[in-house]
Amino acid sequence: MTPQEVKLWLHLRSWRKRGFYFRRQSPREGYIVDFVCMRERLVIEVDGSQHNEPLHQAGDMRRDANLSRAGFRTLRFWNNEVDSNLQGVLEVIDLELRRGRPRPVGFADHPPPLGEG
């Protein structure tokens, strides 16, 4: 793990008392993700730098799409964000956790009227 991942990991581990259990370096859908909270289906990636090369961008997009199809949301941060604004990174993660899991595609807020379901 990079120093930035270690810094973030120490904070994510402390959230266990809130019921959010993160795993690190966890295999998911054919990828090794940096951190994952299975209960909330949230993946957190910490990358060294923004991938400006089309090959890296395409790989990130493919990974995110595969994880999304499996019901995971992905948050991506850069090492310099964790270094310079750890509190902001934690606030974004906290907001996403409070938002909760996405509903399945086609989920209705209310059941259909009788005879139409």
Side-chain angles (χ1 to χ4, degrees), residues 96-109:
E96 191 66 24
L97 287 170
R98 285 189 279 128
R99 214 179 87 190
R101 285 181 250 172
R103 293 185 289 190
V105 174
F107 182 85
D109 286 327

Side-chain angles (χ1 to χ4, degrees), residues 35-84:
F35 306 102
V36 62
C37 180
M38 290 301 297
R39 186 184 95 181
E40 297 301 324
R41 310 289 285 178
L42 179 64
V43 169
I44 300 171
E45 288 292 315
V46 179
D47 292 333
S49 62
Q50 291 180 325
H51 297 151
N52 293 325
E53 305 88 23
L55 180 63
H56 284 102
Q57 289 175 345
D60 287 345
M61 289 173 58
R62 223 177 5 264
R63 177 179 58 190
D64 292 352
N66 286 338
L67 290 167
S68 179
R69 280 191 292 278
F72 289 93
R73 297 167 290 154
T74 301
L75 292 178
R76 180 170 284 107
F77 302 99
W78 312 115
N79 282 338
N80 64 352
E81 287 180 290
V82 175
D83 277 338
S84 64

